[in-house]
Amino acid sequence: MRLGAAAAALCLAAAVPGPSAFAAGEPEPYAFTDGARSVTGAPSSTDAARLEPGHTYRSSLPGSGKLYYRLDLDATSTAYVSVTAVPGPGTTVAATDGLRISVQDARGTSCSSQAAHFGPSRSPHPIAAWGAREVSSSRSLCQGAGAYYVLVERVGARGSSSDAWPLELAAVSEPPLKRTGATSAPESWNSASPEPVTGQAAERAGGAGFAAASTVGQGVWRTRIRPGQTLFYQVPVDWGQQPSATVELGSSSGGSGYVSGALTLSLYNPVRGYVEEAYAGYTGRQTSATLAPCRPSPTPTATASPTRSRGCGSPASTTWSCTSPRRPPAPSARGPTD
């Protein structure tokens, strides 16, 4: 596998075609953040447990229903909550299965909502979605201080496993801007794909979770990935940089047939917010998946917030990416970061 990336959090996930794929042993389990607090989601907002910005939590999402968590926010700070679902090995999921995260105020008004799905891989790998209460002079809703609620729901198709999914929740707050005003990512930017990074690949094993992500910079990196495994990498992002990533899955000396969605490459921003992803099918021949170009992190100004700008990254920070194959790929993987 070959990876090319710049300024992003990358997640590589390999799909699993069936129980026989685990003949060589199950992949390493997801690495939850050390010291993460345990919290129980409530079926009603009335009993919602409080999430404190700056902390990470562990919870569990049942096969049906929905869960509420509470944020107590002031009127000046923007808050983000990312939720990562970690289905266990052997869990049956469909392409449309996933989770939806919504942030609502005390009146039930939706401040933001995002859904994440397993996609073509149909493989039970970690997926993450995020919600936010954004403070902005251009918005009239969700602007006051008080209690806000994080709603976590499972979405999906009939016939999927009803097993509970372990969750990792990360709450983050962003201080107010020095000057108010609308913020946006650069309107004029280079949308062309960058030149491929070349050179000798260096070995770099991926981490098993966001908190355990391996750091890589611009270059070519090589690793191994097993069926059902997800690898996490973090890439430093500076002002004005654009994330760029390509993952190559090497050819195999045996086997036949075609596996759709064999490899998934996902991009997340510094607060574990989903940005985009790319897929690659596999026939035994070498193949690749490349992220589409996205807006760069804005240059530093008194009114520009890199996280709010909807760009792909932010300075002095990192983004994450993971890949997971559905069946054994070539013996190794390599990846450049830009």
Side-chain angles (χ1 to χ4, degrees):
M1 181 178 66
R2 178 186 181 88
L3 164 68
L10 305 175
C11 169
L12 305 176
V16 182
S20 61
F22 288 131
E26 291 187 359
E28 183 179 358
Y30 180 82
F32 287 88
T33 303
D34 289 340
R37 303 173 178 180
S38 294
V39 64
T40 300
S44 169
S45 60
T46 305
D47 302 313
R50 178 173 177 261
L51 301 180
E52 185 178 348
H55 293 277
T56 304
Y57 300 84
R58 293 187 64 166
S59 192
S60 180
L61 181 63
S64 59
K66 52 190 176 184
L67 297 178
Y68 287 89
Y69 305 86
R70 190 180 85 249
L71 294 169
D72 292 334
L73 304 178
D74 59 30
T76 60
S77 299
T78 290
Y80 307 92
V81 176
S82 174
V83 180
T84 303
V86 189
T91 300
T92 301
V93 297
T96 56
D97 285 339
L99 76 164
R100 178 183 295 110
I101 311 303
S102 305
V103 174
Q104 304 171 352
D105 67 13
R107 296 182 178 180
T109 302
S110 177
C111 307
S112 71
S113 179
Q114 185 186 62
H117 304 276
F118 294 102
S121 71
R122 303 186 303 282
S123 180
H125 61 276
I127 57 173
W130 67 324
R133 191 293 295 265
E134 181 178 346
V135 175
S136 172
S137 60
S138 63
R139 296 172 179 262
S140 60
L141 301 177
C142 302
Q143 296 301 294
Y148 288 79
Y149 298 95
V150 180
L151 173 60
V152 181
E153 304 172 272
R154 277 176 69 158
V155 295
R158 294 179 180 178
S160 300
S161 297
S162 59
D163 312 46
W165 294 348
L167 298 179
E168 182 171 61
L169 300 91
V172 179
S173 65
E174 189 174 56
L177 302 175
K178 294 181 179 179
R179 292 204 310 268
T180 59
T183 62
S184 62
E187 294 300 326
S188 178
W189 54 285
N190 184 5
S191 61
S193 298
E195 290 294 323
V197 179
T198 59
Q200 186 65 33
E203 293 286 342
R204 183 62 56 86
F210 280 107
S214 299
T215 301
V216 293
Q218 179 169 316
V220 182
W221 309 93
R222 178 186 180 94
T223 191
R224 296 173 181 271
I225 189 168
R226 292 187 293 175
Q229 186 176 20
T230 297
L231 303 178
F232 291 76
Y233 294 89
Q234 57 181 2
V235 184
V237 181
D238 206 348
W239 297 110
Q241 287 190 323
Q242 289 175 262
S244 172
T246 296
V247 176
E248 294 181 6
L249 193 59
S251 58
S252 174
S253 59
S256 61
Y258 176 75
V259 179
S260 63
L263 192 70
T264 302
L265 171 62
S266 306
L267 176 67
Y268 296 88
N269 67 20
V271 292
R272 305 185 184 183
Y274 171 82
V275 178
E276 63 170 306
E277 60 191 6
Y279 305 96
Y282 194 61
T283 62
R285 296 180 180 180
Q286 65 272 19
T287 188
S288 65
T290 300
L291 294 174
C294 58
R295 298 177 187 275
S297 172
T299 54
T301 69
T303 60
S305 162
T307 308
R308 302 176 196 181
S309 70
R310 303 293 183 258
C312 293
S314 73
S317 189
T318 54
T319 53
W320 322 83
S321 137
C322 20
T323 316
S324 162
R326 293 182 63 184
R327 77 175 186 184
S332 62
R334 57 183 294 187
T337 70
D338 180 28

